[in-house]
Amino acid sequence: MSLQSDIDDLWQQYRTDDVDADSAETADLDVLEEFLAALEAGEIRAAENDGGTGPDAWSVNEWVKQGILLNFGLRHTEPREYGDVRYHDVLPLRDTDDLADRGTRNTPDGTTIRRGAYLGEDCIMMSPSFVNVGAYVGDGTLVDSCDTVGSCAQIGEGVKLGANTLIGGVLEPVEDAPVIVEDGVSLGAGCRVTSGFVVGENSIVGENTLLTPRIPVYDLVEEEVLYGELPAERRAFTRFVESSLGDHDLFAGGAYKPAVVALDVEEDTIDATRREEALRD
């Protein structure tokens, strides 16, 4: 049987209450270990690009998300140790011995990589930062201080996640799409990307911008309003537009709601966000 079929079988047993953390056998846990190892090696992913850019280019592997959920449903929370820190969780932290061979580094005292997370070659994780189970971080990507890469999030190659950036995770319901940040994207400090939003390749996003399907993106290049995606090669930032609540008596001075404005990327903006090669030497 394939790993996918093993996970599918376990998922059906779990959903019908035929197996749980108390009744899971060694063979079941061996499947989960094999599954986590495949995630960490980049052999399987929660979502994959079928070619091109944008939301339509990505397909969700629901069975992978089911496998991640099984690692919570079929395991007990246990006391664990990392250095001199004692904690309690269903999963241990990821072994990072393979990162050196990839030229990837994580700075001490606060970089946390959970089991089932993938980091590619030439990545940098600054402390404190956190990469959750099922996340995929592509080659040459910088995860800066105080960043969180949520469960199943898919981060492309050569991406810059500015300090204090949140990439949202998603596990339930299992059909929901994870956050996608495509190749070459630069997210300014304090950005938030949530709820399956797709950031198109080579886009540059200003500081403290919230990208979520609930906030409109005014694409001034194609002159259209989008939800849940930022097209490729855009310069985006937050602005405020009038809200219908402005007619309410409690908003005598008018009310406004956040929106995202997207323009063409200019060469001087690209130069300002270009990767610093000295960091990789």
Side-chain angles (χ1 to χ4, degrees), residues 170-206:
V170 57
L171 284 179
E172 293 195 60
V174 294
E175 66 270 11
D176 279 355
V179 169
I180 307 290
V181 180
E182 295 186 336
D183 296 349
V185 168
S186 178
L187 296 180
C191 285
R192 301 289 186 269
V193 189
T194 69
S195 304
F197 196 97
V198 178
V199 185
E201 65 181 17
N202 299 321
S203 287
I204 298 171
V205 181

Side-chain angles (χ1 to χ4, degrees), residues 122 274-281:
D122 197 26
R274 199 177 302 278
R275 190 174 85 165
E276 177 53 71
E277 295 298 336
L279 294 175
R280 312 282 167 168
D281 293 340

Side-chain angles (χ1 to χ4, degrees), residues 4-240:
Q4 180 175 353
S5 60
D6 287 340
I7 292 295
D8 286 340
D9 182 58
L10 264 181
W11 179 254
Q12 292 306 316
Q13 294 181 58
Y14 175 66
R15 296 292 288 179
T16 55
D17 296 325
D18 292 331
V19 64
D20 58 18
D22 291 323
S23 62
E25 300 178 352
T26 300
D28 300 327
L29 298 179
D30 287 345
V31 169
L32 298 185
E33 288 295 323
E34 181 184 356
F35 173 80
L36 291 173
L39 281 172
E40 293 171 4
E43 296 169 357
I44 60 175
R45 298 175 60 170
E48 295 180 277
N49 189 288
D50 300 325
T53 63
D56 294 338
W58 291 86
S59 58
V60 177
N61 292 323
E62 293 183 20
W63 75 272
V64 173
K65 297 174 70 178
Q66 291 168 354
I68 293 172
L69 289 172
L70 285 171
N71 273 279
F72 292 91
L74 301 185
R75 298 180 188 270
H76 287 293
T77 297
E78 299 178 14
R80 304 180 185 277
E81 292 186 0
Y82 182 76
D84 58 356
V85 176
R86 188 172 176 85
Y87 67 101
H88 294 76
D89 199 358
V90 293
L91 290 176
L93 299 183
R94 186 191 191 285
D95 190 318
T96 58
D97 288 346
D98 61 318
L99 298 186
D101 292 336
R102 302 181 191 178
T104 286
R105 68 179 188 261
N106 58 315
T107 59
D109 295 331
T111 54
T112 304
I113 310 171
R114 212 172 189 191
R115 282 227 57 191
Y118 172 82
L119 271 75
E121 298 181 359
D122 197 26
C123 293
I124 297 175
M125 280 188 67
M126 300 299 295
S127 59
S129 57
F130 176 67
V131 179
N132 206 351
V133 57
Y136 183 101
V137 180
D139 297 347
T141 285
L142 170 65
V143 180
D144 211 338
S145 299
C146 300
D147 288 351
T148 296
V149 179
S151 56
C152 299
Q154 304 292 297
I155 311 298
E157 298 182 3
V159 171
K160 287 183 178 181
L161 302 182
N164 198 32
T165 290
L166 169 67
I167 306 297
V170 57
L171 284 179
E172 293 195 60
V174 294
E175 66 270 11
D176 279 355
V179 169
I180 307 290
V181 180
E182 295 186 336
D183 296 349
V185 168
S186 178
L187 296 180
C191 285
R192 301 289 186 269
V193 189
T194 69
S195 304
F197 196 97
V198 178
V199 185
E201 65 181 17
N202 299 321
S203 287
I204 298 171
V205 181
E207 297 178 352
N208 298 313
T209 300
L210 174 59
L211 299 175
T212 176
R214 294 175 293 279
I215 292 180
V217 175
Y218 290 85
D219 182 14
L220 304 188
V221 178
E222 297 295 335
E223 296 188 354
E224 58 183 350
V225 180
L226 304 171
Y227 288 87
E229 64 171 304
L230 176 66
E233 300 182 351
R234 295 292 192 271
R235 177 169 58 95
F237 46 87
T238 297
R239 288 293 182 267
F240 288 86

